[in-house]
Amino acid sequence: MKMKIQEITNNSIMKMSKKCLQMAILLLLSFTSVQAQDKKAKDLLNQVTAKIKSYNNISIDFKYSLNNAKENINQDSKGNVIMKGNQYVLNFMGVTKIFDGQKTYTIVPEDEEVTISKVNEKDDNAITPSKMLTFFNSGYKYNMDIVQNVKGRKIQYIKLVPTSGKDQRKEILLGIDVQTKHIYNLIETGKNGTKTTLTVNSFKTNQPLSKNQFTFVASKYPKYYINKLD
């Protein structure tokens, strides 16, 4: 029974980690292929894209919240992610995920286990930076939304609405700092009332990175079980 409960817990962490990674990458990399529905929104997204492309690497600390009043769910977590090109390191809910451009290494200290898997580009459920680059390429209508003043920062929201009735998301709100052209937050609302919010607490660029920043070093985990899926 203990192993069953642990398995359920680990699966929940993996699902949240995967969801958070998708949102984190979406915040930073998804703007290059947006099709214009609103000229002002397009112009603003283009400015964000140009800013993002000018950086060699990006490091963010974030807060992730999941809320559903009907189900009485209210969860908050913090994490951080470092990205350079199509490589990344994500730390979230005690789990570390490293993508070196070819394989993903999921490190779970609680279980002393490392899962290694190759990225299948044909897998619709695979979360990769390249897929995030084309996330908004089709299937969404979007336009400028409200403007908010957040601690002296002018945040302009862009609303995206899925065009497919099968999509379980009702809408996505993308908050952009008008002055810096950096993303402030992303709010995703589901048709079931669930709202997930990723808020950027710290946004750093062009940081000095270790030579092995995106390399899995097995010697660091001598007692871990290595689970190779491929």
Side-chain angles (χ1 to χ4, degrees):
M1 178 63 72
K2 182 178 180 180
M3 291 183 65
K4 184 65 175 178
I5 294 175
Q6 187 178 50
E7 180 180 349
I8 293 174
T9 301
N10 290 340
N11 287 339
S12 298
I13 291 176
M14 289 298 100
K15 288 180 180 179
M16 288 190 70
S17 179
K18 182 176 180 180
K19 176 70 172 178
C20 186
L21 172 60
Q22 179 179 2
M23 294 181 72
I25 298 174
L26 176 61
L27 279 175
L28 301 171
L29 300 174
S30 63
F31 307 109
T32 60
S33 57
V34 179
Q35 299 300 312
Q37 297 275 344
D38 181 294
K39 188 179 185 305
K40 288 184 178 180
K42 174 179 170 33
D43 290 343
L44 182 55
L45 289 174
N46 284 342
Q47 292 177 58
V48 174
T49 299
K51 208 63 177 298
I52 295 300
K53 285 186 174 182
S54 70
Y55 301 132
N56 181 53
N57 61 67
I58 297 172
S59 176
I60 64 172
D61 293 332
F62 58 83
K63 176 182 178 181
Y64 177 84
S65 300
L66 187 150
N67 306 96
N68 187 312
K70 184 178 180 180
E71 301 295 333
N72 195 29
I73 298 174
N74 188 3
Q75 300 176 346
D76 292 324
S77 303
K78 292 183 178 181
N80 58 75
V81 61
I82 300 173
M83 291 186 285
K84 179 178 181 180
N86 68 338
Q87 300 174 309
Y88 61 77
V89 177
L90 169 72
N91 294 295
F92 183 63
M93 294 187 70
V95 175
T96 297
K97 292 178 74 73
I98 301 174
F99 179 62
D100 62 9
Q102 295 183 333
K103 295 182 179 180
T104 299
Y105 303 82
T106 303
I107 305 165
V108 186
E110 182 179 358
D111 299 335
E112 293 190 336
E113 182 178 61
V114 177
T115 299
I116 305 174
S117 60
K118 291 182 180 179
V119 174
N120 181 1
E121 293 291 344
K122 296 181 180 180
D123 182 3
D124 292 334
N125 293 319
I127 304 302
T128 66
S130 60
K131 285 191 175 183
M132 293 304 100
L133 284 168
T134 58
F135 185 79
F136 291 139
N137 194 41
S138 62
Y140 290 88
K141 294 187 298 183
Y142 68 92
N143 58 278
M144 300 288 271
D145 202 80
I146 64 171
V147 176
Q148 288 187 339
N149 187 304
V150 180
K151 297 180 180 180
R153 301 169 63 188
K154 183 179 179 181
I155 307 300
Q156 171 68 62
Y157 283 91
I158 295 178
K159 179 186 291 186
L160 299 103
V161 180
T163 56
S164 172
K166 295 181 180 181
D167 199 309
Q168 295 305 304
R169 293 168 297 179
K170 180 180 178 182
E171 66 181 31
I172 298 172
L173 284 174
L174 201 60
I176 300 171
D177 186 314
V178 174
Q179 181 177 0
T180 64
K181 302 303 184 295
H182 289 167
I183 300 301
Y184 168 68
N185 67 351
L186 182 148
I187 305 169
E188 184 179 282
T189 303
K191 292 179 180 179
N192 63 354
T194 298
K195 179 181 289 187
T196 53
T197 303
L198 191 150
T199 303
V200 176
N201 293 326
S202 173
F203 187 105
K204 298 180 181 179
T205 62
N206 301 334
Q207 298 295 296
L209 302 180
S210 166
K211 181 180 179 180
N212 298 321
Q213 185 74 56
F214 306 102
T215 302
F216 172 71
V217 182
S219 60
K220 291 183 177 181
Y221 311 94
K223 297 181 180 180
Y224 280 46
Y225 171 70
I226 306 298
N227 180 24
K228 295 183 179 181
L229 299 182
D230 301 298

